Amino acid sequence: MITLKRIVPKVISPLSNQIIYRLPVMTKNDLSDSNVISPPVKGKAKEGGKISLKCPKGMRDYTPAQMAVRQMVFDKIHKCFRKHGAVQIDTPVMELKEILTGKYGEDSKLIYELEDQGGEILALRYDLTVPFARYVASKKLQNIKRYQIARVYRRDNISIAKGRFREFYQCDIDFAGEYEAMLPDSECVKIVCDILKEMGMNNFTIKVNHRKILDGIFEYCGVPESEFRPICSAVDKLDKEPWETVKQEMVEVKKLDPAVADKIGVLIQKKGLLDLVEELEKSDLSQNKNVTKGLSDIRLLLEYCELYNCVDHVSFDLSLARGLDYYTGVIFEAVLHPDESDENVGSVAGGGRYDNLVGMFAPKGRSIPCVGVSIGIERLFAIMERRMQNCRTSAVQVMVVSGQKGMLRERMKLLNLLWESDVNAEMLYKANPKLLTQFQHAETQGIPVLAILGESELAEGKVKLRNTATKEEELVDRDNVVDRIWEMVLYTEPDL
């Protein structure tokens, strides 16, 4: 008999290197907010006092049902990154504080700073981009296409519904090195498009803009160069606040002339594609060298996005600012439209070009151009968890059972045979469990195949295999049981 072991679809977890197949059944209760942030529960401390057993604010435990969804999402992202030729790295969860400070603009206040650790002033990483730039500089790399999936930490306001926490995962892919203009930039847009579609989300927009265009607009409107970044941070809030609120911040907090703010408001609310590029090229703005450079890049980016068949999801949006200080060129951000989620979750991916960041760490300021994108995975989890109500949490494919007494050792022998053949299998940890109890366990856990042993099967050198879903049974020679199980699993396990 031909073995199908090698063609059974398997997915390698990017976090644990475990083999995952199709992930007992997840219910709405498993995904309730009470399971997301633990309620305050009092327990007794060793010295008689009371302690709270809840998770820290903005951090959470994950149920098996939630982990099943998360693992499935991670696997899809891991597969997409590798499809585009990226290699995986990892960096410490803590960095020297001086590495992180001064890179995030007004968001620097969200960095978790730690106490002196034996002479080192440390902080928890805020994102994966700055540690990656430090990595490139320290390894003296000239080019690398890398991805990283890891936790980051921010002292941010918490919103469970929007997937905003203080401890969360980021999934980043970045291109470091000298390449032809807009080739890696457009591939970042394509990657975001592919990942969102792979999640079953088709109604989204990837906004693109250029930091040089924004700087040119600010210069054209009369903003002092020293105020470019603070004004950029204010513009970055337009996806959450109306223009009147943003203008108020510019005028009252940033002390910008109201007339200058009005000129900015007229321009940054424009959006389009090549039509907007052509409009700006014909306007007085085109006299600004920053705007000219930015429009040239955007035109090329849009042309490449059309070749990659993703331009239908792209919008050239002058209101997009991305508040982080290290961006120098093209920036992008993906947002879902309301019908893709129960409410507005905000952006689900973002990134851009940061050509000077590595130079901040490299000897003699050696600059390595970089561009990358980060998937807002927690916000995608919040949506996927609400959508997926019937997802298996166990990877077990076969349950070894018996309805007769004294079969424990025989069950263990068969269980070991399956394990050594790379089959995910288990049994109940009782010497003589009832047959009905074993059947019910398999149905509850969604285990697709039962391997049934009895005295008659042992005497004949056979194993009875039962399809849990259809209740069909067949006798199989013990020498062929593994091959037949792989055949059954191939047709009973749904795709991820």
Side-chain angles (χ1 to χ4, degrees):
M1 183 177 290
I2 298 174
T3 178
L4 299 179
K5 176 179 176 181
R6 296 302 179 190
I7 64 173
V8 173
K10 302 177 182 179
V11 179
I12 306 298
S13 162
L15 305 178
S16 63
N17 252 2
Q18 293 178 339
I19 296 175
I20 305 298
Y21 292 86
R22 182 64 173 172
L23 299 176
V25 172
M26 180 167 58
T27 65
K28 291 182 179 180
N29 184 58
D30 291 319
L31 300 177
S32 65
D33 285 351
S34 63
N35 282 318
V36 176
I37 300 295
S38 304
V41 179
K42 299 296 183 180
K44 291 185 178 180
K46 291 182 179 179
E47 298 180 358
K50 291 186 176 181
I51 60 172
S52 173
L53 301 182
K54 73 179 186 69
C55 293
K57 288 183 179 179
M59 303 179 187
R60 52 180 177 164
D61 296 322
Y62 297 100
T63 66
Q66 289 172 317
M67 284 305 300
V69 176
R70 294 170 72 86
Q71 190 62 63
M72 184 195 67
V73 174
F74 279 136
D75 290 338
K76 289 179 182 292
I77 293 174
H78 174 88
K79 181 180 178 182
C80 183
F81 286 165
R82 292 190 66 85
K83 179 174 67 177
H84 284 264
V87 295
Q88 188 174 18
I89 70 164
D90 200 8
T91 56
V93 70
M94 291 180 286
E95 295 278 352
L96 296 175
K97 180 183 172 184
E98 61 185 317
I99 294 290
L100 302 182
T101 53
K103 313 299 189 304
Y104 303 107
E106 295 182 359
D107 284 351
S108 291
K109 63 181 180 292
L110 303 181
I111 294 174
Y112 271 106
E113 299 178 6
L114 305 178
E115 293 183 1
D116 188 333
Q117 303 293 316
E120 291 186 326
I121 308 300
L122 306 177
L124 294 177
R125 61 187 174 202
Y126 174 90
D127 66 4
L128 301 179
T129 304
V130 172
F132 171 62
R134 191 243 338 131
Y135 175 91
V136 171
S138 67
K139 306 297 182 186
K140 299 180 180 179
L141 300 177
Q142 294 298 315
N143 58 75
I144 184 175
K145 186 196 302 184
R146 85 84 171 86
Y147 75 94
Q148 185 175 359
I149 299 175
R151 284 185 172 98
V152 298
Y153 298 85
R154 298 180 186 179
R155 296 190 304 167
D156 205 350
N157 293 324
I158 304 164
S159 174
I160 296 172
K162 294 183 178 181
R164 186 185 300 134
F165 300 94
R166 291 180 173 178
E167 178 190 57
F168 56 95
Y169 274 95
Q170 281 191 338
C171 303
D172 286 20
I173 184 168
D174 293 80
F175 300 69
E178 296 277 359
Y179 304 103
E180 292 292 331
M182 296 300 105
L183 285 179
D185 310 64
S186 57
E187 189 167 350
C188 285
V189 175
K190 173 64 173 176
I191 288 168
V192 173
C193 189
D194 285 352
I195 288 175
L196 292 179
K197 287 184 176 180
E198 186 68 21
M199 303 296 173
M201 300 173 188
N202 295 300
N203 197 1
F204 60 88
T205 296
I206 303 174
K207 302 177 183 179
V208 301
N209 199 3
H210 202 294
R211 270 295 177 82
K212 289 188 180 298
I213 294 177
L214 282 173
D215 287 351
I217 288 174
F218 297 154
E219 183 180 352
Y220 173 81
C221 294
V223 178
E225 186 174 353
S226 61
E227 296 299 311
F228 281 6
R229 294 287 76 82
I231 297 302
C232 190
S233 295
V235 173
D236 188 46
K237 298 173 183 176
L238 274 173
D239 62 334
K240 307 178 188 71
E241 305 286 351
W243 164 246
E244 290 74 18
T245 303
V246 172
K247 177 186 175 182
Q248 185 178 12
E249 178 181 340
M250 288 181 176
V251 173
E252 297 181 5
V253 179
K254 314 292 186 184
K255 307 302 180 183
L256 192 66
D257 187 307
V260 172
D262 287 336
K263 290 178 68 177
I264 293 173
V266 171
L267 292 170
I268 63 173
Q269 296 185 68
K270 294 178 179 290
K271 61 184 67 176
L273 287 169
L274 284 175
D275 57 330
L276 179 55
V277 173
E278 293 170 356
E279 176 187 335
L280 296 177
E281 286 175 338
K282 296 175 183 177
S283 71
D284 292 342
L285 268 175
S286 63
Q287 303 302 313
N288 184 284
K289 62 180 182 180
N290 279 327
V291 172
T292 301
K293 167 59 178 169
L295 289 176
S296 175
D297 284 347
I298 291 293
R299 175 182 286 277
L300 193 56
L301 177 73
L302 295 176
E303 290 176 1
Y304 289 166
C305 286
E306 187 168 8
L307 293 174
Y308 282 146
N309 198 29
C310 59
V311 74
D312 290 345
H313 289 283
V314 175
S315 172
F316 175 26
D317 190 330
L318 291 178
S319 69
L320 178 64
R322 302 292 295 169
L324 302 181
D325 281 358
Y326 53 65
Y327 289 123
T328 58
V330 166
I331 50 178
F332 24 78
E333 184 171 282
V335 294
L336 298 181
H337 298 304
D339 62 325
E340 286 286 5
S341 59
D342 297 335
E343 58 182 283
N344 179 21
V345 298
S347 66
V348 293
R353 178 160 287 279
Y354 51 101
D355 289 344
N356 300 328
L357 189 56
V358 174
M360 295 183 181
F361 307 122
K364 300 179 181 180
R366 178 178 58 91
S367 180
I368 302 291
C370 298
V371 63
V373 66
S374 178
I375 308 299
I377 196 69
E378 298 294 343
R379 293 178 177 180
L380 291 178
F381 287 148
I383 298 168
M384 298 296 285
E385 287 176 357
R386 289 194 290 267
R387 287 184 175 185
M388 300 184 66
Q389 301 299 323
N390 294 289
C391 185
R392 286 185 60 201
T393 61
S394 170
V396 173
Q397 300 161 301
V398 182
M399 183 174 177
V400 179
V401 307
S402 177
Q404 298 174 343
K405 293 183 178 181
M407 300 296 293
L408 174 61
R409 285 170 175 77
E410 294 300 331
R411 284 190 288 140
M412 293 174 67
K413 289 179 184 178
L414 180 55
L415 190 63
N416 188 60
L417 172 65
L418 297 177
W419 287 339
E420 291 184 347
S421 301
D422 212 19
V423 178
N424 298 351
E426 70 173 4
M427 67 177 186
L428 291 189
Y429 300 120
K430 291 185 176 181
N432 300 299
K434 294 180 179 179
L435 187 61
L436 180 60
T437 301
Q438 297 171 85
F439 282 9
Q440 289 174 339
H441 176 82
E443 291 182 2
T444 301
Q445 300 297 312
I447 300 171
V449 179
L450 293 171
I452 305 172
L453 285 175
E455 292 180 356
S456 60
E457 286 83 8
L458 288 176
E460 297 175 14
K462 295 182 181 294
V463 177
K464 184 181 290 184
L465 298 180
R466 176 185 173 98
N467 185 311
T468 304
T470 66
K471 309 296 191 292
E472 295 176 351
E473 297 180 350
E474 59 181 287
L475 277 174
V476 179
D477 290 338
R478 193 179 183 99
D479 291 341
N480 298 328
V481 68
V482 172
D483 290 338
R484 181 57 185 141
I485 284 173
W486 281 118
E487 290 177 340
M488 295 177 69
V489 169
L490 178 64
Y491 292 107
T492 56
E493 288 280 8
D495 292 334
L496 283 173

